[in-house]
Amino acid sequence: MAATRFDLVSEWRFATPIERIWAELIDADSWPQWWRAVKRVELVADGDRDGVGAVRRFTWGTALPYQLSFDMAVTRIEPMQVLEGRARGELDGTGRWTLNREGEGTHVRYDWQIDITRPWQVALAPVLRPLFAWNHNVVMGWGYADLKTRLMKTAH
């Protein structure tokens, strides 16, 4: 495996129905309202009526002292099941949200298969690889905690 390639998996479990979780994840424009790591989401291109082909530029803050920006093009939507996109920019690869019902709740899995592209990250990847993976896990942990908080605040 190249030092610049990362295959990362995050899993979240909620006692919330899948429809509610899907609504939050599919509405990426609202992520900065609840996910502390998401600093900005800008629509770059509209997709089809289902959202496939839409491109958004995401700017992320991290647990480390840097931000990342990349464009994410939606490549696949299977309502209540799969949301997938292709990242290009400071990260390059694919991200896929997969949702499954677990009783009354929801299991969410995020697969992030990317290459880092910033020259300083590429140069330091052999040494800092564990730190970059830790950083990703912190950002995803924030997302899980922040979404749980949002769901509690907006429960009907």
Side-chain angles (χ1 to χ4, degrees):
M1 176 188 299
T4 62
R5 177 71 177 190
F6 289 81
D7 293 303
L8 304 161
V9 176
S10 302
E11 296 192 63
W12 299 348
R13 284 188 163 75
F14 298 96
T16 306
I18 199 168
E19 294 81 5
R20 184 73 178 97
I21 304 300
W22 177 260
E24 294 294 345
L25 293 178
I26 196 73
D27 183 14
D29 295 326
S30 73
W31 289 7
Q33 296 170 21
W34 58 266
W35 194 336
R36 73 189 91 169
V38 184
K39 302 306 179 188
R40 190 169 44 257
V41 177
E42 304 164 79
L43 182 64
V44 175
D46 288 319
D48 66 17
R49 64 182 179 84
D50 297 321
V52 174
V55 179
R56 285 178 174 77
R57 181 162 299 128
F58 287 85
T59 301
W60 293 80
T62 73
L64 297 173
Y66 65 84
Q67 290 189 344
L68 288 168
S69 292
F70 54 87
D71 290 352
M72 183 68 98
V74 177
T75 57
R76 180 175 159 206
I77 296 176
E78 294 177 28
M80 307 300 153
Q81 296 176 46
V82 178
L83 174 60
E84 187 173 274
R86 176 80 170 95
R88 294 189 191 279
E90 292 180 330
L91 297 176
D92 187 76
T94 59
R96 181 177 48 260
W97 295 99
T98 306
L99 285 71
N100 289 292
R101 292 182 198 276
E102 280 190 346
E104 297 295 315
T106 306
H107 173 249
V108 177
R109 177 181 166 124
Y110 189 66
D111 290 276
W112 191 221
Q113 299 169 326
I114 52 98
D115 284 287
I116 52 177
T117 63
R118 284 175 143 180
W120 73 266
Q121 290 177 322
V122 170
L124 296 175
V127 175
L128 296 182
R129 180 176 189 77
L131 190 59
F132 292 156
W134 170 85
N135 190 49
H136 169 81
N137 290 333
V138 169
V139 167
M140 292 304 291
W142 288 343
Y144 177 64
D146 295 347
L147 184 51
K148 282 178 73 169
T149 298
R150 180 174 175 88
L151 293 168
M152 286 188 297
K153 287 180 180 176
T154 60
H156 299 8

